[in-house]
Amino acid sequence: MQTTLKIDFVSDVSCPWCAIGLTALLQAIDRVKDKVTVYLRCQPFELNPRMAPGGQDITEHLTDKYGSTPEQQAQIRDMIRQRGEAVGFVFNPDGRGRIYNTFNAHRLLHWAGVEYPAQQIALKMALLVACHRDQQAMDQTDTLLQAVQLAGLDVAHAQAILAGDEFVDEVREAETYYTSRGIHSVPAVILNDRQLISGGQAVEVYERALRELAQA
């Protein structure tokens, strides 16, 4: 008998560990599809909500935020690249280049979740690839609309959303909801509103959690 599970994937487009985590989670879901029916929804989280238009050089940003050196950042970047390779997500070897505000990306993801729930993950993956493989400017309308097109969504509608303030309140409300419940780092994978898996984990970690819930 199939078990139905609800999964909220709380994450930010600019987070490399979120790219790893989502790719691994999707593979885990595929491994258990004979036993588990999953309703997966991406939820918003902004790592840099006050980032100015045009973004910031990633080396400068990480040094300012964490105090890390360029050498330390290069080591972490190589580790992330290897973790991505293990699950099939390709990272640019030079990293993201710059880091950007992602609020408009979250507005489009919310829209997709409401009107095209079956394609929301496709949009999320297109945005992650644009950011982490292609070094695109994630606060630029052209970048976001290209991801919308790749996901097979209505580009004209997406353009209208970006030109106005549709879904601003809904995204802010969702961000507040998750931070008020203790989510302060991402990715955060919430299973059936009660079990939390933090960080970009291996496929096997997610698979084990899904199978345990299915058997409970």
Side-chain angles (χ1 to χ4, degrees):
M1 186 175 70
Q2 287 283 111
T3 299
T4 300
L5 297 179
K6 172 178 174 281
I7 302 179
D8 291 294
F9 188 82
V10 187
S11 63
D12 193 5
V13 170
S14 66
C15 166
W17 292 105
C18 295
I20 292 168
L22 183 56
T23 306
L25 177 62
L26 292 173
Q27 292 177 29
I29 291 171
D30 187 64
R31 289 184 183 184
V32 301
K33 63 184 177 182
D34 59 326
K35 296 184 180 299
V36 182
T37 298
V38 171
Y39 292 94
L40 174 62
R41 177 74 182 267
C42 290
Q43 303 291 358
F45 185 97
E46 289 181 84
L47 289 170
N48 303 286
R50 289 175 292 279
M51 180 63 66
Q56 183 182 17
D57 175 81
I58 189 64
T59 300
E60 177 184 291
H61 174 77
L62 293 174
T63 299
D64 290 346
K65 190 170 184 177
Y66 301 111
S68 57
T69 66
E71 292 75 20
Q72 290 170 329
Q73 293 169 29
Q75 291 175 351
I76 293 171
R77 190 162 58 243
D78 188 57
M79 178 178 64
I80 288 171
R81 181 190 59 76
Q82 292 179 41
R83 285 289 305 277
E85 193 174 83
V87 297
F89 188 93
V90 177
F91 285 95
N92 191 300
D94 296 325
R96 289 159 284 179
R98 297 184 70 79
I99 193 162
Y100 301 90
N101 180 277
T102 55
F103 185 72
N104 280 333
H106 287 300
R107 286 207 291 147
L108 292 179
L109 285 163
H110 183 90
W111 161 65
V114 171
E115 298 197 17
Y116 306 93
Q119 292 163 274
Q120 190 199 38
I121 297 301
L123 177 58
K124 180 73 168 187
M125 290 303 300
L127 291 166
L128 288 168
V129 168
C131 180
H132 298 286
R133 188 192 70 184
D134 300 338
Q135 293 187 329
Q136 296 297 302
M138 302 310 296
D139 62 355
Q140 295 297 303
T141 297
D142 287 349
T143 298
L144 301 178
L145 293 181
Q146 183 178 35
V148 168
Q149 183 176 33
L150 288 171
L153 305 182
D154 186 336
V155 174
H157 191 174
Q159 191 167 22
I161 291 168
L162 294 175
D165 60 3
E166 195 171 2
F167 304 121
V168 166
D169 292 341
E170 290 87 342
V171 171
R172 293 291 187 217
E173 183 179 347
E175 290 178 333
T176 299
Y177 174 84
Y178 287 104
T179 55
S180 70
R181 280 154 180 78
I183 304 298
H184 299 296
S185 63
V186 288
V189 181
I190 304 170
L191 309 176
N192 279 350
D193 295 320
R194 65 175 186 267
Q195 181 175 340
L196 172 66
I197 303 175
S198 298
Q201 302 295 335
V203 179
E204 292 74 17
V205 173
Y206 295 127
E207 180 185 1
R208 183 166 58 251
L210 295 176
R211 291 193 183 279
E212 287 175 354
L213 271 182
Q215 293 167 6

